[in-house]
Amino acid sequence: MSNHASVIPGPSPVPAFTLSRRRLLGAACVGAAAGVLLLNPVGSAWAAAPKAETELATFMTLSQRLTGRNDLDGKLGQSLYEALTKRDAAFAKDLGELQGKLGKTPQGLSGHPQEVARQILAAWYLGLVGSDHTATVVTYQDALMFKAVDGALKPRAFCFGSPGSWAEKPVVGRA
Amino acid sequence: MATVQQADFVIVGSGIAGALIAHQLALAGKDVLILEAGPRLARHEIAERFRQQVDKSDNQAPYPSPAHAPHPELNPSNHYLIQKGEHPYDVQYIRAVGGTTWHWAASTWRFLPNDFKLKSLYGVGLDWPIEYADLEPWYGRAEVELGVWGPTDEDLGSPRSAPYPMAPLPLSWNEERVKTVLNANGYRVVTEPVARNSTVYDQRPPCCGNNNCMPICPIGAMYNGIVHVDKAEKAGARLIENAVVFKLEKGRDGRIAAAHYKDPQGNEHRVEGRTFVLAANGVETPKLMLMSDVGNSSDLVGRHLMDHPGTGVRFYANEELWPGRGPQEMTSLIDFRDGAFRREYASKKIHLSNMSRVDQVAAELIQKGPLLAGPELEQQIRDRAARFVRFDSFHEILPNPKNRIVPSATERVAGIPKPEFTYAMDDYVRKSAVHTREVYAHAAKLLGGTEVVFEDTFANNNHIGGTALMGNDPKTSVVDKDCRTHDHANLYIAGGAVMPTVGSVNTTLTIAALALRLADRLKQV
């Protein structure tokens, strides 16, 4: 069954790294309105906010390091982070460990921190959280793998262009 | 509570075969009732399920198996298919209004004249009771009904009395390049005929390259059986969805009196008819016949099960080809469809994939091998998606009575037996596959291929054939050359089940041609 709640709208221009308390509350209210999030009274959301904010900021910082991109979409990042923590309650702790082990280059990672790095890369590039049939599709069209091919290919099930336009020699960087 | 309905023509199954027949009969003013086991589906919902599915290579995933009328689910398996043979008959089909052409490559090949005479020409397999010339006009009609584009400047070996309804759209860069390289080295790669619009045709739009023919064309530029279901209903045919026929009731004088179906609640209904057409594919049709002890005086119902066992190869070319621009498949290599070699080993068609590999290579790079990140990862995704090459093939397996489908004696679902398969590869296919592998290796060499990986799994290609063979002798066949069962004067079979051999190409156009030919006979009934 399709899960429209998980569809992410187009990339947001809002920078992700300074997720304000107001913005987090805004997201919480949207969630509450949809009846899926935050049944807690407002007060406890206030109390929880700083920790969540810090963890999300850590996730975004590590995501930037791993993808090498400074244009990551904040809303998508929040959705990916929520899906990752929902799937694995220890994810926030894993992030801390990864942060500690991540040296100058990710290539030096091994063991569990490397697995966590792969999870984060899969989330951004594939739009998937999890790797088997129980995985969650957080986004399809905004997965970074399509940015990587830079206009040479579109996501499947989206129109490529005018009929026959595929005959031209592809030029990377031109949509 | 049981209900009773009536119709002059009762058609079991609403896939391409049943839908074409229903449409023709309804146009002729006949009283037609279609019984379809599965539900109605909306194109936009199927497309959205695809966008939301985890494994984009799973063509069954956007089509959830109905609880009351299961079809194969792959990942994870729902164990609908029971495998008893040495090789699994891992078939995929869809139980839904419109049938399995919801997902297909839209390849609409005609058989070659020699495909109908395998026994007399090459001493293997069987001859058909009809020849290419008998079917030629119906191939042409089918191409018009489906909306087929085909090459105007390439002879595909199947003589034509009329041009293709549409000229093709140009090949993708990938296919043009591979065709150029292979043809410069003695191979014959041609534009494949496909039921895909290159212009507005039959009120449907031209292809805009969603690259998603399988599992769903989001815009209906590719033909699906639902087109003729809609047309049949507009012409006056009735359709009952979620009606799982589980029994054919025999009446007087060897005639079929009624079809019995279950609705999703398990209630049973009886449908009386004058003429019955079974068009429920080469698995569910023989299953129903065997469950009903119908049409089987020859003991051949369910036997001679066939498909096109496939092998594949993947590698990285030494230039950027960018598969994924345009439709999923536009060309085929046709050097090995016919020749004296058919005495010794199977004919085959080989085809290049033009499916986007972005998700596949990205997943492989992220989940396996050394950890890549940042620009290096993106460069690798770009490079691998650009240079990925994959060929697949269809081998002609011979009709063998030991290869069969029966209703399981022990396993049931929704109160109805599951299909049980006994299937094996033969040396005729294996020998051909050795040669296919040599062709793959040569193609890889010509394209500067690296990381060449062969897949010799004899994958099922879901071209169900055999199981209710057409022939002149009631002792050695199930239906006559008009697709009427030898045993029951008012029972006909449409679909791949009647095909005595399967040739080396996708069978849908032959199924459609046979269906239109049968519809013409039924108009006289």
Side-chain angles (χ1 to χ4, degrees), chain B residues 287-303:
Chain B
K287 193 184 91 176
L288 173 62
M289 292 173 74
L290 292 169
M291 284 162 58
S292 308
D293 190 24
V294 154
N296 195 29
S297 65
S298 62
D299 185 34
L300 293 180
V301 172
R303 295 186 184 272

Side-chain angles (χ1 to χ4, degrees), chain B residues 70 134 137 174-176 234 273 450 506 509 519:
Chain B
D134 297 315
N174 170 44
E175 284 152 308
E176 187 63 43
K234 278 187 190 132
T450 50
N506 316 62
L509 191 75

Side-chain angles (χ1 to χ4, degrees), chain A residues 6-7 66-67 69 106-107 118 121 125 133 135 137 140 148 152-153 156-161 163 166-168 170 172, chain B residues 51-52 54 56 76 170-171 173 207-212 214 322 325-326 328 358 366 369 371-374 376 378 382:
Chain A
S6 69
V7 177
L66 290 169
T67 62
R69 284 185 170 269
Q107 282 75 2
R118 288 183 195 269
L121 287 166
Y125 281 94
H133 70 273
V137 178
Y140 174 52
L153 297 171
R156 283 169 55 199
F158 291 86
C159 193
F160 178 80
W166 44 77
E168 294 168 23
V172 177
Chain B
R51 296 185 187 106
Q52 294 296 323
V54 172
K56 295 288 192 274
L171 298 182
W173 178 260
C207 175
C208 69
N210 282 273
N211 199 242
N212 210 54
M214 293 181 286
W322 287 108
R325 297 160 61 92
Q328 284 176 340
V358 176
I366 290 168
L371 180 68
L372 299 172
E376 190 188 3
E378 297 200 8
R382 197 156 48 237

Side-chain angles (χ1 to χ4, degrees), chain A residues 153-167, chain B residues 51 149 169-170 196-200 204-213 217-222 324-328 330 354:
Chain A
L153 297 171
K154 298 274 172 66
R156 283 169 55 199
F158 291 86
C159 193
F160 178 80
S162 60
S165 55
W166 44 77
Chain B
R51 296 185 187 106
W149 90 35
L169 287 169
R196 183 183 296 122
N197 285 358
S198 59
T199 183
V200 176
R204 293 180 288 113
C207 175
C208 69
N210 282 273
N211 199 242
N212 210 54
C213 317
C217 174
I219 65 169
M222 185 182 76
R325 297 160 61 92
Q328 284 176 340
M330 301 185 82
N354 190 43

